[in-house]
Amino acid sequence: NAGVTQTPKFRILKIGQSMTLQCTQDMNHNYMYWYRQDPGMGLKLIYYSVGAGITDKGEVPNGYNVSRSTTEDFPLRLELAAPSQTSVYFCASSRGSTGGSYNEQFFGPGTRLTVL
Amino acid sequence: AQSVAQPEDQVNVAEGNPLTVKCTYSVSGNPYLFWYVQYPNRGLQFLLKYITGDNLVKGSYGFEAEFNKSQTSFHLKKPSALVSDSALYFCAVTAGNNRKLIWGLGTSLAVNP
């Protein structure tokens, strides 16, 4: 079991460029999440998905897009990168539960993104 | 609105001493509470959770946490700290049918040899 994998590990973008952060999990989890982590700010939820074909916005969705065509993959798309998107991005997954999120989340190793 | 607070940005403790990392929460309904640990340049790892039942929850690496409903707290504890416990610790909460966790800002634990 590889768990949750993310690529790339590091990336530098120029302002206005676009990129896709990849996330794959091999645990057959229904729920998947994208977070960003800024120093001293904890984790902020960008988007989440409760199953293939279903996505929803989190706290900070502006400037990002997601898709969930399969159970395993949950890519995050950055369009028109801005310096404010400089952050560490984490993907996570968890088993779905009927009503609520009481199953623990498994995290990937993160992608460190710098926008210059 | 749901919220979680970790009142200490940093906790320092000597190796071998007991440690406590504090967490308080505010939710409507019965809470689901979690602790995660993040080592430098790594993703978060699950430590333990409280869903229902016994108020004292035991988790990975010798950590435990006590759910206190009257004080709306879920403090993380360990009887004897190790230098290798030095990391960033996050408390998180959700409740009811909410599919999202609310995260604390994290507490940096430094265990000094």
Side-chain angles (χ1 to χ4, degrees), chain B residues 41-63:
Chain B
N41 300 312
R42 302 284 295 275
L44 279 71
Q45 296 177 36
F46 168 74
L47 276 180
L48 51 80
K49 67 181 178 183
Y50 172 82
I51 304 300
T52 187
D54 195 346
N55 289 344
L56 184 63
V57 179
K58 294 188 184 297
S60 306
Y61 312 121
F63 284 94

Side-chain angles (χ1 to χ4, degrees), chain A residues 45-56:
Chain A
L45 182 65
I46 304 171
Y47 271 95
Y48 68 103
S49 168
V50 298
I54 306 169
T55 62
D56 208 347

Side-chain angles (χ1 to χ4, degrees), chain B residues 21-48:
Chain B
V21 183
K22 296 179 180 177
C23 173
T24 59
Y25 67 90
S26 174
V27 298
S28 299
N30 294 322
Y32 305 141
L33 293 150
F34 301 79
W35 275 104
Y36 289 79
V37 61
Q38 185 180 29
Y39 298 102
N41 300 312
R42 302 284 295 275
L44 279 71
Q45 296 177 36
F46 168 74
L47 276 180
L48 51 80

Side-chain angles (χ1 to χ4, degrees), chain B residues 84-108:
Chain B
S84 58
D85 293 329
S86 299
L88 191 56
Y89 291 81
F90 289 95
C91 180
V93 66
T94 190
N97 292 327
N98 198 326
R99 293 167 173 175
K100 299 174 284 186
L101 287 178
I102 304 300
W103 295 85
L105 295 182
T107 297
S108 179

Side-chain angles (χ1 to χ4, degrees), chain A residues 3-43:
Chain A
V4 180
T5 57
Q6 292 182 239
T7 57
K9 287 185 169 29
F10 304 94
R11 184 72 186 267
I12 299 175
L13 283 182
K14 293 182 179 178
I15 294 172
Q17 287 186 320
S18 301
M19 75 165 294
T20 298
L21 281 65
Q22 301 292 345
C23 175
T24 300
Q25 52 92 9
D26 63 358
M27 296 172 283
N28 201 31
H29 285 168
N30 287 342
Y31 289 12
M32 294 188 75
Y33 309 82
W34 273 107
Y35 294 95
R36 59 178 288 171
Q37 184 179 31
D38 301 309
M41 299 299 292
L43 291 174

